[in-house]
Every structure is written in C-alpha cells, then in structure tokens.
Amino acid sequence: MTALLKNVTNCIWYAFDSLQNNDVVHKSKLKVLTANIGTLLDLYGVEKGLDHFRSSQELTFDEFKYYLQHEVFSSLPKTVTLPIIREYEKKISEVCWLVCRKRLLFRDKSVFGDDSVFKLFRIFCLLADLVQDADDTNRYVVVLHPSEAGIVAEQLVHCLGLRWDAADWEALGSSIGHFKWAAFLAVLEAKYCCDQQLHSLALIEAVDEIYDVFIEDIIKKGYLLKRGYLLPTMREYWCVLQPCALTYYKSSSQKEQCGRIVIDEYCSVEASAGDGKIQRFQLITPDRTFEFGTQDHKSRLQWISSLRQATAVSGGAEGYQRRARAGRRGAGARREKEARETKARLQHEVRARLAAEAQAQELAELCEQDNKKLEELRNAQIELEKLLQEETQAKRDEEIVRALQARVLAEEWERREELERLQEEQNRMLEEERMKRKQFEILQAEKEAQYKEAAQRLKDLEDEKQRLDAELKAAQEKISKTELTAHALHVQLRDLSPALRNGERARRAVSFVPTTKSSSDTLIDIKAIRHSKVIDNNENV
C-alpha cells in the first residue's frame, strides 16, 4: 500500500519531528508509534522488527519511512477500496496528532478549537509537500504552496460569509512564500477569523465545511426528494454526494443513514419532466434507476452537474481532492514554466535588440575602416592569386610525387608478396626435407636392427658349424675304427677253412653288410645335414 503511506507521510513526519533529537529518534519511541499504527491496520507485532533493523539505536526519518514501507504497509492487501483507505488515513492521522498535538497547538492567541485545529491540520497535510530544508539538507520540512493555501483560505472565507480579496492574498503569499504549519494557522486565525462578531459555532461549521470538501471528498450536500422503490411517493432526505457514492440520511445531522448509492463511470444523470412543483432528474446505475427531485430549477441543475462530476471522477483508488491537487500542481507547473519561458524570451529579445543596436553602431564605424581596407584587400587578393597559382603548381607536383610514391609502394608490395611466397616455399621444402630426414633415420634404425639381427644369426651359425664339424670329425674317427676292425676280421676269416669260411662268410655277410651299410649311410647323412645347414646360413646372411 504505497499510496496509503504516501497519503499519511506528512502526518507521520510531524509525529517523528515531535520525537526527534538532532534529526534522529530512538527506537524505543518509534516502537510505540509503529505499534499504534500497526494496531490501527490490524497488524500486530510489527514493531518488533525495529530491534534488528539497522545496527544503531536511533533512526532518521528516511530509515523509519523505509521500515514502514517494507515491514508494515507492505503487509496490507494491494487492492483496497477508497472508503477503507480514507478510514485508515483518519485513524493514522489521529495517532500522529496525539503525538504532536501539544507542539502544534501552541500559539499566543487561539481562535479555533482543538478539534477544528486537527481538521485544519489534516487539510494542511493533504495539500502540503514534504521537502528538504533549505538550511539543512539532512532535515525535512512540510510546506504548503501559496496557491494551495489560498484555496483553503478562500473556502473558509466563503463559508464564513465574508468577502474574498484575491489580490491581497497574492501579495501576502508572495511576501511569505511557502507556508509552514505555524504560519498557515496564524494567517487563518489572525487575518480572517479575528473578527469579534464571528461566533465560535460559525467557525466550527466553516471548518467542518472545508473539512468535508477536502478530506471527505464531498462534492455537494443538501436536501433532495427521492422516489421510493415500493411506494411512488417523493420523500425528502439529506443527501451527501462523494465521487464514489451518494449517501442519504433522515436529517442533516447525518446520524441515521437511510441508504447508499454506489456511483461509478457506468452511471449517468438525465433530467426528467416535472409536474410544476418538483423538478425531477434521474440517476441511472447499472442495477437500478433512481428518481430525485428539487424544489427549484437551479438546484436541479446544480445537482445534475455535481452528479455528472462525481461519475467522471469516480474511478481510481485515490481521492478526488488529491487528484485535483495533482492537476493543479501540473497546471501550476505548466504556468510557471510558460511564465519563465515568456520572461526568458522577452529578456532574450531585449538583449537581442540592444545587441543589434550596438552591432549597427559598430558596423557604421567599421564601414569606413572597411573602405580603407578594401584597397589593401585588393592588393592582397592579387598576391593571394599569385600564391594560389604557386600553390596549385605545388599541388600538381605533389600529386606527381604521390603517384610515383604509389607506384613504388605497389612495386614494393609486389616484391614483398614475392618474398613471402618464396619464404613459404622454402619453409615447405624445409618441412619436406625434415620429413624425409626423419623417414631416413627411421629406415636407418630399422636397417641397423636387421644388421644386428643378421650378425647374431651368423654368429649362431658359426657356432653350429663348429659343433657339426666336431661331430663330423668324431663320426669319421668312428668310421676309421670300424673300417680297421672290419679289415682285421677279413684277415682272420682268410685264415679259417674254406667251408667254415664260406659258411661263416655267408652268416656274417648277412649280419655284417647292414652294419657296414649303416655306417656309410650315417656318414652320408651327417655330410648332407652339414651341407644343408651351411646353405641355410649362407641364405640368411
């Protein structure tokens, strides 16, 4: 509910100002004020957060306002009707008034009663602005624009039945400037309500009247004749018109409410034919059509105009007077801007006229000097033409030189490109040579490995050859021994008898021939194996 906090900020500032000491207030005092505001809003325990808010025990008004916005008013529903907002504003204003009333009621000579002063205080807070003090930028002050204060004073004067002097108020406003509360109340009491003939009840009624206009947003009130819903008779009621509703009571005391008609942008008002004594008009709502009447034509026109105005300003969650104040501020700002622009434009025109006159005089004085300098300028022109021709020739020469430089630069670029191309080719050839060298190294390593492997195999073959030679030699020795043995046996056989020799020869021939043949075959096999191994070793090498 940012709008609610914005509406009651001025009242809260006055309560804060009554508690502060050197622009700060202790948290213990602010907890009481926060608890009262929270109770009015049906929020309990909102003051407990002040203990943990900020590290210091004292808060400035900006810090306290920040706490109220984020910890108190943010807990309210976002969509609240205008009557509820108005009721919240009234309760919070009363709490703040209890805190600061003693300070704000103090004055030398009082004219208004305390209740009237409270109502004027609410009107002042409604129309005033919270701004930084010109003398102390860390301090705030609530001030009322002279035009807004003039509207309140004019309403009060009209309600008292006095004559309003706009020129006198304009002079007073220009001399005082922006009104603070004390100056505003002193001007109303001392200038417009100091007449001894004014009764206290008249002052109370006048304050109540302007309170209804500014705070309650009452556009118009008075007696009206209303046609009943069941019976067609016209009955008189005291009617109070606000932007959101038309409420009617039994009497002007407004104690017994008889009904309430909601007014919105979908309502319309139309005049209807009367019977000569009663001037009738109709209020048409989406649910029902209401018929009213007045005793004269003028009153009917006033009520029709007021009802149409109420339907036009019924929308929105902000009060009619607040919107009207914003509109006046906008119009005033535009008028001030236009006035400043007009004043600046007039000043500019005066300065321009004076400057033109001075310039004309200077031109008249310079005219003679120009005539004298004209001849000098002609001579200078001739010299400049010569210099121009020389400069033109120099530019032509410069262009020729630049063309030559461009051609040389182009050739240099071509050469540079050719060098870069050659460098790239050289780098490519170096890379290829490096790759070939790397491959050659790999191949050489493989050949060395094969060479080492072949050398090892040759060594193994030589060892095997030596072993086979040894075995062959042993076999040859064995064969030699066998041949010697065979030869000895042949000699012995020759010495035996022929028969025995023949029989024994036949028997031995059967047993000896395989033995001899086996020895020969063995020798041949050994030689063949040795020969094959030698061939295999030679092939491997």
Side-chain angles (χ1 to χ4, degrees):
M1 287 296 292
T2 307
L4 178 59
L5 178 60
K6 180 181 178 182
N7 295 343
V8 299
T9 298
N10 292 342
C11 297
I12 295 175
W13 181 86
Y14 273 108
F16 185 91
D17 185 59
S18 300
L19 300 174
Q20 72 177 352
N21 181 19
N22 293 330
D23 300 332
V24 293
V25 179
H26 200 273
K27 285 184 178 180
S28 59
K29 298 179 181 180
L30 294 178
K31 288 175 68 176
V32 178
L33 179 60
T34 306
N36 291 329
I37 294 175
T39 303
L40 294 175
L41 300 176
D42 293 332
L43 302 173
Y44 300 95
V46 293
E47 75 281 359
K48 296 179 181 179
L50 282 172
D51 295 331
H52 307 288
F53 180 72
R54 304 290 182 183
S55 58
S56 61
Q57 293 298 319
E58 296 176 336
L59 299 179
T60 62
F61 181 72
D62 288 332
E63 295 172 344
F64 181 57
K65 182 181 176 183
Y66 179 86
Y67 179 81
L68 290 178
Q69 180 178 355
H70 291 82
E71 301 295 335
V72 181
F73 287 87
S74 61
S75 302
L76 295 174
K78 294 183 179 180
T79 57
V80 181
T81 59
L82 184 58
I84 296 177
I85 293 178
R86 189 178 288 117
E87 186 65 24
Y88 282 156
E89 291 179 8
K90 181 180 179 181
K91 292 179 180 179
I92 294 174
S93 299
E94 289 175 353
V95 170
C96 296
W97 176 253
L98 290 176
V99 177
C100 62
R101 66 187 301 273
K102 183 177 180 181
R103 180 179 179 182
L104 300 183
L105 286 174
F106 177 78
R107 54 195 187 278
D108 296 334
K109 185 178 180 181
S110 61
V111 176
F112 296 111
D114 293 351
D115 186 61
S116 298
V117 174
F118 170 66
K119 292 179 179 180
L120 291 173
F121 170 74
R122 288 203 62 190
I123 296 172
F124 179 83
C125 291
L126 169 69
L127 302 177
D129 294 317
L130 182 65
V131 297
Q132 289 183 341
D133 194 352
D135 299 331
D136 187 3
T137 56
N138 295 325
R139 181 178 175 84
Y140 287 96
V141 62
V142 179
V143 295
L144 183 63
H145 194 271
S147 61
E148 300 293 329
I151 294 174
V152 179
E154 183 179 2
Q155 291 279 350
L156 180 63
V157 168
H158 288 324
C159 292
L160 293 173
L162 302 176
R163 179 177 172 273
W164 171 252
D165 189 352
D168 182 49
W169 176 262
E170 186 177 355
L172 179 64
S174 61
S175 62
I176 294 178
H178 288 77
F179 287 84
K180 295 184 180 180
W181 163 250
F184 174 71
L185 184 60
V187 168
L188 293 183
E189 288 185 333
K191 187 172 181 61
Y192 299 107
C193 302
C194 61
D195 192 352
Q196 299 295 332
Q197 296 179 358
L198 292 176
H199 198 273
S200 59
L201 292 177
L203 294 174
I204 293 174
E205 291 178 358
V207 173
D208 292 343
E209 185 75 20
I210 62 175
Y211 181 83
D212 291 341
V213 172
F214 286 99
I215 303 300
E216 301 295 338
D217 282 342
I218 295 178
I219 299 175
K220 186 174 178 59
K221 57 184 177 179
Y223 284 102
L224 277 178
L225 296 173
K226 178 182 176 295
R227 184 176 181 178
Y229 181 68
L230 299 176
L231 299 176
T233 57
M234 301 292 288
R235 188 174 178 182
E236 189 175 48
Y237 294 96
W238 176 262
C239 297
V240 177
L241 176 62
Q242 292 175 299
C244 57
L246 175 63
T247 310
Y248 49 95
Y249 304 87
K250 284 187 176 182
S251 62
S252 59
S253 62
Q254 300 181 190
K255 294 182 179 180
E256 298 182 18
Q257 180 177 332
C258 298
R260 187 172 184 270
I261 304 172
V262 178
I263 296 176
D264 54 23
E265 62 270 19
Y266 302 105
C267 298
S268 61
V269 185
E270 295 181 0
S272 58
D275 53 5
K277 295 180 180 180
I278 300 177
Q279 303 293 324
R280 301 174 186 269
F281 63 92
Q282 292 180 344
L283 175 60
I284 303 171
T285 65
D287 300 329
R288 181 185 164 191
T289 300
F290 298 89
E291 186 174 355
F292 295 94
T294 60
Q295 298 294 338
D296 56 78
H297 181 65
K298 180 180 179 182
S299 298
R300 181 176 71 169
L301 292 177
Q302 292 176 352
W303 275 103
I304 290 175
S305 176
S306 300
L307 285 168
R308 288 175 178 172
Q309 182 183 1
T311 58
V313 299
S314 59
E318 194 173 15
Y320 166 65
Q321 289 296 331
R322 293 187 185 276
R323 283 181 286 176
R325 169 179 171 271
R328 291 194 300 268
R329 290 295 175 83
R334 287 193 297 272
R335 288 195 298 270
E336 290 179 359
K337 183 179 179 180
E338 291 176 357
R340 288 195 300 268
E341 291 177 353
T342 303
K343 185 177 180 181
R345 186 169 59 254
L346 291 175
Q347 292 178 354
H348 179 70
E349 290 177 356
V350 171
R351 288 195 297 268
R353 183 173 58 83
L354 295 176
E357 293 177 354
Q359 187 177 6
Q361 185 176 1
E362 291 178 359
L363 289 175
E365 294 175 355
L366 292 175
C367 184
E368 296 179 359
Q369 297 178 3
D370 291 342
N371 293 329
K372 294 178 181 179
K373 293 181 179 179
L374 184 59
E375 188 66 25
E376 297 176 358
L377 291 175
R378 289 175 181 174
N379 298 330
Q381 184 179 4
I382 296 172
E383 295 179 359
L384 288 174
E385 288 177 354
K386 294 180 181 179
L387 294 175
L388 182 60
Q389 292 178 356
E390 294 177 358
E391 184 179 1
T392 303
Q393 185 64 33
K395 285 183 178 180
R396 291 175 182 173
D397 297 338
E398 184 180 0
E399 289 177 356
I400 294 172
V401 173
R402 286 183 178 179
L404 293 174
Q405 289 178 350
R407 187 175 64 185
V408 172
L409 185 62
E411 293 177 356
E412 183 179 356
W413 276 107
E414 291 177 356
R415 292 176 182 176
R416 180 175 295 180
E417 291 177 355
E418 182 67 20
L419 289 175
E420 290 178 353
R421 185 179 59 80
L422 293 174
Q423 186 176 4
E424 290 178 356
E425 291 180 356
Q426 184 179 4
N427 293 334
R428 182 173 55 79
M429 294 174 65
L430 288 174
E431 185 66 22
E432 292 177 355
E433 185 67 23
R434 191 180 297 109
M435 294 297 296
K436 291 180 180 179
R437 183 176 180 181
K438 187 175 181 181
Q439 293 176 357
F440 178 76
E441 290 177 354
I442 294 171
L443 183 61
Q444 184 178 5
E446 292 178 353
K447 293 294 184 179
E448 289 179 356
Q450 291 177 358
Y451 175 76
K452 290 180 180 179
E453 184 179 357
Q456 183 65 32
R457 185 178 294 178
L458 181 61
K459 184 178 180 182
D460 294 339
L461 291 174
E462 289 178 352
D463 294 339
E464 182 68 18
K465 180 181 179 182
Q466 293 177 1
R467 185 179 62 79
L468 291 175
D469 291 340
E471 291 179 356
L472 180 61
K473 186 177 180 181
Q476 288 177 354
E477 291 177 357
K478 189 175 180 180
I479 291 170
S480 298
K481 290 179 180 181
T482 303
E483 289 178 352
L484 291 175
T485 302
H487 182 69
L489 288 176
H490 282 291
V491 172
Q492 289 178 5
L493 287 176
R494 280 194 309 264
D495 294 337
L496 291 179
S497 62
L500 182 62
R501 186 182 300 171
N502 293 331
E504 186 68 15
R505 184 179 297 173
R507 184 180 59 82
R508 287 185 180 183
V510 174
S511 59
F512 179 74
V513 172
T515 304
T516 305
K517 186 178 180 180
S518 177
S519 299
S520 301
D521 293 338
T522 302
L523 182 61
I524 293 170
D525 293 337
I526 290 170
K527 290 181 178 182
I529 290 169
R530 181 179 177 186
H531 182 67
S532 64
K533 286 185 178 181
V534 171
I535 292 172
D536 291 338
N537 290 333
N538 293 331
E539 289 178 355
N540 290 331
V541 173

